[in-house]
Amino acid sequence: QVRLVESGGGLVQAGESLRLSCAASTRTFSTYVLGWFRQAPGKEREFVAAITRSGGGTKYADSVKGRFTISRDNAENTAYLQMNSLKPEDTAVYYCNVDFNFRTVVAGSFDSWGQGTQVTVAS
């Protein structure tokens, strides 16, 4: 069972930056496609960004393109989401998740989710 722990969230002002981390407890981390997702109160969970196994390919939601950067360090079994120019609309609980299939990650078709990390952007 792969275990993922998100961290790095917090309260920031609009325009500031945060870097989220996703630590994986698995020895096969590099075999997984990884994605970041977020869910605001009263809204459905939405796709934010995804990264391929080697880190050479990425995909972003239009709402974060140009502001967020997803990356991964397979040697440390950790992925990151660098969030710049944060907006109040970015306020949400952010989750990471992994799957062998890129399509599954982008679609957010997961059986379970972790605790996530809260990001609050004040105006």
Side-chain angles (χ1 to χ4, degrees):
Q1 293 271 29
V2 59
R3 297 178 180 85
L4 303 171
V5 179
E6 302 93 342
S7 63
L11 172 64
V12 298
Q13 296 291 313
E16 295 182 340
S17 299
L18 279 174
R19 191 191 194 200
L20 307 183
S21 296
C22 174
S25 296
T26 176
R27 287 174 287 188
T28 58
F29 180 69
S30 63
T31 69
Y32 291 96
V33 178
L34 183 141
W36 283 97
F37 309 82
R38 65 187 183 186
Q39 185 170 27
K43 298 181 179 179
E44 294 186 355
R45 186 178 285 108
E46 65 175 343
F47 168 79
V48 175
I51 188 166
T52 56
R53 295 170 179 84
S54 65
T58 58
K59 180 180 176 63
Y60 298 91
D62 289 341
S63 59
V64 306
K65 199 170 299 181
R67 299 188 299 121
F68 291 10
T69 302
I70 187 171
S71 62
R72 68 192 297 165
D73 186 339
N74 288 338
E76 295 187 358
N77 290 347
T78 304
Y80 306 94
L81 185 67
Q82 178 66 46
M83 306 185 295
N84 298 328
S85 301
L86 282 163
K87 305 174 181 179
E89 307 93 89
D90 296 318
T91 295
V93 177
Y94 283 71
Y95 304 87
C96 63
N97 222 324
V98 297
D99 195 84
F100 293 113
N101 299 318
F102 191 86
R103 178 181 177 87
T104 298
V105 171
V106 174
S109 303
F110 299 100
D111 294 331
S112 62
W113 300 85
Q115 295 294 321
T117 185
Q118 176 71 50
V119 172
T120 302
V121 184
S123 60

